Amino acid sequence: MKLATLKLDPKQQRRDGELVIVSRDLRQAVSASDIADTLQQALEDWDAVSPRLEQRYAELNAGSAMGAFDLDTRELHSPLPRSYHWADGSAYLNHVKLVRQARGAELPESLWSDPLMYQGGGDVFLAPHEDIAALSEEHGIDFEGEIAVITDDVPMAVTPQQAAGHIKLIMLVNDVSLRGLIPGELAKGFGFFQAKPASSFSPVCVTPDELGDAWQDGRVHLPLSVHLNGEKFGEPEAGPDMIFGFPELVAHAARTRHLGAGAIVGSGTVSNPDPDGGPGKPIADGGVGYSCLAEVRMVEKILFDEIKTPFMRFGDRVRIEMFDRHGHSIFGAIDQQVVKYQPK
């Protein structure tokens, strides 16, 4: 099943949008507001609501759903325009190694057994086609292509096996980072905060069964496609190098607290080392590329002792998408341009 949130006017107190069901090919949608007004509402009563949503999804794909309309994904918000809980892990250790090396930080041995995770701001998410408004290019504007899951209510101290049953939906993430602000924040022994502005998510989220055999061991075994200014920047595999699967990440987030329905847990930046253990090659050199700029910059430093690639500048555009094995877009695309913030 594929679900999304249609944008509504926030001035009319509808900032959480309207829940819609999206066809498998992303071409059509139908309102689900008579079943649940919003995705948050559906998640809070998932066991009762999801069979009705599934039935309408089947009707939509069969061409028999009443009220179906042609879908423009630019009219969609992130599936949850805001969330009570947004926690992002860092399950790809190749990424952790590179970004830590970039700021001269050690890699603790515990990272092989205990996930990294930070709690981000969930009160405001960007829409998948909304501009990334930044104050200054000097802040080191970077994108981070990731995968995330959405849960129902998760009890405290669940096991990973139990946590797997609480994963209801999957989507993509652009976890925007301001790399220039990260070292100063972490040097204080706290953070991230200012270095992590609003994230955005794919137009559509899907139930795990929608991925078929690409969903295995709590991981998505498909490449993540990233384009920068129209050029392919990366296509790393999301499955094999994810040290902790989503059940482990959800269990980690719930170790000492309950997670409310609609909690979002991210994978961290998708990243692959070279088959020989190297840090990863650009697409142009026969590698799978990268899902963020920080990695390619560190690789340049390692290989050439010179950083050549700048962080994002005003006017730059990033596109993040994932395709099934038949070449069909699964979640729709995150497609965003960086602009200079103009106070209103």
Side-chain angles (χ1 to χ4, degrees), residues 3-4 8 32 47 77 81 107 113 218 220 223 242 299:
L3 301 174
L8 295 175
D47 288 344
H77 211 301
L107 190 70
S113 57
V220 179
M242 189 179 183
V299 170

Side-chain angles (χ1 to χ4, degrees), residues 79-339:
L80 285 170
R82 53 182 174 168
S83 171
Y84 293 112
H85 198 118
W86 157 228
D88 197 17
S90 196
Y92 297 89
L93 290 197
N94 189 60
H95 173 75
V96 179
K97 289 176 184 177
L98 288 171
V99 295
R100 288 203 166 210
Q101 190 170 352
R103 61 175 189 265
E106 295 292 327
L107 190 70
E109 283 296 322
S110 62
L111 291 186
W112 293 95
S113 57
D114 192 28
L116 277 172
M117 188 169 286
Y118 83 92
Q119 188 166 346
D123 51 336
V124 177
F125 293 138
L126 300 178
H129 289 82
E130 187 174 351
D131 289 340
I132 300 167
L135 290 170
S136 170
E137 293 177 349
E138 297 302 313
H139 286 169
I141 308 159
D142 200 357
F143 54 86
E144 294 193 64
E146 308 184 10
I147 302 166
V149 298
I150 308 175
T151 73
D152 62 2
D153 289 302
V154 182
M156 183 170 64
V158 293
T159 66
Q161 292 74 23
Q162 293 167 333
H166 292 283
I167 294 172
K168 302 305 177 185
L169 296 163
I170 304 167
M171 57 187 176
L172 305 182
V173 192
N174 181 13
D175 180 43
V176 181
S177 292
L178 302 178
R179 301 291 186 187
L181 301 183
I182 289 176
E185 286 200 304
L186 296 186
K188 299 176 185 178
F190 243 37
F192 309 106
F193 195 86
Q194 292 176 347
K196 289 290 187 178
S199 299
S200 56
F201 298 84
S202 52
V204 173
C205 58
V206 310
T207 49
D209 63 290
E210 196 69 31
L211 297 175
D213 62 5
W215 177 250
Q216 297 179 30
D217 303 320
R219 296 163 174 82
V220 179
H221 290 265
L222 289 168
L224 183 68
S225 175
V226 180
H227 284 76
L228 178 62
N229 295 326
E231 298 290 332
K232 183 169 282 189
F233 184 80
E235 202 167 42
E237 289 285 341
D241 295 308
M242 189 179 183
I243 302 300
F244 304 101
F246 281 109
E248 287 78 19
L249 293 177
V250 172
H252 180 82
R255 182 181 178 188
T256 59
R257 65 178 82 178
H258 302 289
L259 304 182
I264 303 172
V265 177
S267 67
T269 306
V270 178
S271 181
N272 300 152
D274 294 323
D276 62 3
K281 296 185 181 70
I283 293 280
D285 294 338
V288 296
Y290 315 95
S291 298
C292 72
L293 289 164
E295 286 195 17
V296 68
R297 287 166 57 89
M298 195 61 237
V299 170
E300 290 170 348
K301 178 68 173 175
I302 293 168
L303 297 181
F304 311 114
D305 198 30
E306 178 186 2
I307 295 174
K308 303 176 182 179
T309 301
F311 285 119
M312 296 186 83
R313 294 171 172 149
F314 300 137
D316 284 350
R317 181 176 292 276
V318 62
R319 183 180 179 93
I320 300 169
E321 198 166 8
M322 182 173 278
F323 301 89
D324 65 19
R325 294 190 177 102
H326 302 288
H328 303 132
S329 182
I330 300 170
F331 306 93
I334 300 171
D335 193 339
Q336 297 178 285
Q337 186 174 38
V338 175
V339 301

